[in-house]
Amino acid sequence: MKEALKRDVLTDVVQKKKEKTLADMMMEYAGTLEKDGTKDIYARTVSRIEKYDSRITVDSVTPEWLSDFRNYLLKELKMNTVAIYLRNIKTTINWMRRKKMATNDPFLEFRIVTEQTTPNNIPVERLRQFLSYPCETWQEPYRDFFKLSLLLAGINGVDLLIMKRSALKDGYISFVRQKTNKQNAQTIRTITIPVYKEAQEIIDKYKSNEDWLLSFMDCRNDYRSFIRECNDALKKIGQTRKVKDKVGKLRKVEYDAICPNITMYSARYSFGSIAVNDLDISEHAVGMCLGHSWAKTVTAHYISHDQGKIDRTIRRVIDYILYNKE
C-alpha cells in the first residue's frame, strides 16, 4: 500500500509538471513573433500573470478569472495598459485554438475595456513657436527629428529611425508601418509619402555613414533609447533658469518648456488635427496621409488610390505650419 501510494503521488506530480501554464504558452507564442518590442510586452504580461497566479492554465481561465486579474492590474496600471495585457492573453488563446492545443475561449463572455485618450496635439501657434525657438545645441538634432516627422505627415519615429536609404527614391519615401501586424493583416499596404525640400534638407543634414536614411542609428543598436532621449529633450525646449540645488549652490537648471507634454507622437497628432480642424481637409484625405487603412467598405475597394491627393494635402499642411499660408 505504501509503495502504491508513493507511485500514485509521484505520477500525479510528474503530470502536473508536464502541464504547461498560461505563462508558458504565452512565452511559447511570443517566440514565434518577429519584433523584439512585441516580445518584450509579452514578457511583461507573463511577469504579471506569474505574480498573480503562476499555476493558471489556459483551460482554467474563466471570465471571472480575467475580471479578477484585471482588477488586480488596475491597482497599479492604467486601463489601456491593462487592456494590452488582456489582449495578449486573448491572442495567445486564439493561437492555441488555431493550433488545436486548446478549446477554451473565456473571451466569449468577457469584454476588454479601454478608455479614450486625448490626442496629444499641439496648436499651430504653439507649434510654430516651438519650431522657431533658438534651442540649445544639444537639443537641435532631436527637434530636427521631430520636425522631419511632422513634414512627412507625422510618420512614426520608429519607422523613420529604421528606414533604409533605399526607401527614398525620386522624391518619395515608401515603407510599411512597423505597427502593422504582418501575421494577422490580410493586406500589407505600402505607404508612399512625398519628400519636399524642407524635409530633404533635414535628411541631408543627418546623412548616415551606414545604410540608414538618417544618422541617428549609426553605432546604435536600440532605437527605443533614442526615442526616450528625444522625448526628454523635446520637453526641455524653452527658457531655462538656474536655481539652488540641495546644498544651496546656484547650479540646478529648470526648464520653462514651450510644450511640456510633447512627445514624438505629437507630430502625428498635430499633423492630423491641424489638417482637419484648421484647413478643413477631409478626414479621408488625412487618413491616407497617416497611412490608416481606408479600404473598410465594399465601395472603397472600387476607388483608386489618389497619390496626388496625399501630395497636395501634405504640401498644404507644411505651408500652413511653416509659412502661415492657407
Side-chain angles (χ1 to χ4, degrees):
M1 184 181 293
K2 180 179 178 181
E3 290 300 322
L5 182 61
K6 182 178 179 180
R7 184 175 61 254
D8 292 342
V9 170
L10 289 175
T11 301
D12 186 52
V13 169
V14 171
Q15 288 177 345
K16 286 184 177 180
K17 284 184 177 180
K18 288 183 178 179
E19 190 174 17
K20 291 186 177 181
T21 65
L22 172 62
D24 292 333
M25 297 312 302
M26 290 194 71
M27 290 306 296
E28 187 172 325
Y29 171 70
T32 67
L33 302 176
E34 295 180 2
K35 293 169 57 178
D36 291 338
T38 307
K39 291 180 180 180
D40 290 343
I41 296 174
Y42 271 83
R44 291 198 293 271
T45 307
V46 167
S47 176
R48 293 283 181 173
I49 292 173
E50 289 183 331
K51 288 180 180 178
Y52 177 70
D53 187 354
S54 61
R55 296 183 179 181
I56 188 71
T57 62
V58 171
D59 289 335
S60 302
V61 177
T62 63
E64 292 74 23
W65 185 92
L66 291 170
S67 179
D68 292 342
F69 181 55
R70 176 169 60 193
N71 293 334
Y72 164 77
L73 294 177
L74 286 173
K75 294 177 182 177
E76 299 181 11
L77 304 173
K78 294 182 179 180
M79 177 71 76
N80 289 348
T81 302
V82 172
I84 291 173
Y85 290 169
L86 291 171
R87 286 195 195 100
N88 290 344
I89 295 175
K90 182 176 182 178
T91 300
T92 300
I93 291 177
N94 288 340
W95 172 73
M96 292 182 64
R97 286 165 56 82
R98 290 195 300 271
K99 295 286 186 179
K100 308 299 183 183
M101 294 187 291
T103 57
N104 183 34
D105 188 2
F107 287 91
L108 288 174
E109 301 178 17
F110 179 84
R111 187 167 67 91
I112 299 174
V113 180
T114 59
E115 57 185 1
Q116 187 173 0
T117 57
T118 304
N120 189 17
N121 61 291
I122 305 169
V124 68
E125 290 298 336
R126 181 62 60 87
L127 187 59
R128 289 169 182 157
Q129 181 187 1
F130 174 81
L131 294 174
S132 62
Y133 185 81
C135 65
E136 298 179 28
T137 303
W138 69 273
Q139 296 169 328
E140 186 176 345
Y142 299 110
R143 185 175 64 180
D144 285 342
F145 184 68
F146 175 89
K147 183 178 180 180
L148 180 59
S149 171
L150 184 68
L151 296 175
L152 297 175
I155 185 174
N156 186 279
V158 174
D159 291 323
L160 197 50
L161 278 178
I162 66 173
M163 189 171 292
K164 299 294 186 178
R165 190 181 296 118
S166 58
L168 175 58
K169 185 178 180 181
D170 298 329
Y172 288 87
I173 56 170
S174 298
F175 65 102
V176 175
R177 290 187 67 194
Q178 283 295 302
K179 189 176 180 180
T180 300
N181 190 331
K182 297 181 180 180
Q183 293 182 329
N184 294 333
Q186 294 180 349
T187 304
I188 303 301
R189 188 164 65 86
T190 299
I191 301 168
T192 302
I193 299 293
V195 180
Y196 289 109
K197 61 181 181 65
E198 295 87 350
Q200 187 62 56
E201 288 172 359
I202 297 176
I203 293 173
D204 293 340
K205 183 178 178 180
Y206 298 97
K207 189 170 293 185
S208 172
N209 293 322
E210 300 179 20
D211 194 33
W212 306 109
L213 178 67
L214 302 170
S215 61
F216 301 116
M217 285 298 290
D218 289 357
C219 303
R220 184 189 291 266
N221 294 322
D222 182 14
Y223 60 79
R224 288 182 291 265
S225 63
F226 180 84
I227 296 295
R228 287 193 296 269
E229 293 169 10
C230 186
N231 288 337
D232 183 60
L234 297 175
K235 289 181 174 70
K236 293 179 179 178
I237 293 178
Q239 293 185 347
T240 62
R241 58 181 177 274
K242 287 189 176 182
V243 297
K244 292 182 179 180
D245 59 15
K246 293 182 179 179
V247 297
K249 292 188 176 182
L250 199 66
R251 57 187 179 185
K252 181 180 178 182
V253 178
E254 288 188 350
Y255 296 87
D256 186 13
I258 297 173
C259 302
N261 298 318
I262 190 173
T263 67
M264 278 301 301
Y265 278 111
S266 300
R268 191 169 181 82
Y269 289 134
S270 300
F271 180 92
S273 297
I274 290 171
V276 173
N277 299 326
D278 293 34
L279 297 175
D280 201 27
I281 298 172
S282 71
E283 292 185 15
H284 175 80
V286 174
M288 288 195 295
C289 296
L290 296 175
H292 291 164
S293 176
W294 60 283
K296 294 181 178 180
T297 65
V298 174
T299 304
H301 286 289
Y302 295 91
I303 302 174
S304 62
H305 181 72
D306 189 351
Q307 182 63 45
K309 180 176 287 188
I310 295 175
D311 298 356
R312 292 189 295 272
T313 297
I314 294 174
R315 185 68 256 177
R316 279 191 66 191
V317 176
I318 292 175
D319 286 342
Y320 180 64
I321 293 174
L322 298 186
Y323 312 115
N324 199 13
K325 291 168 55 179
E326 296 189 36

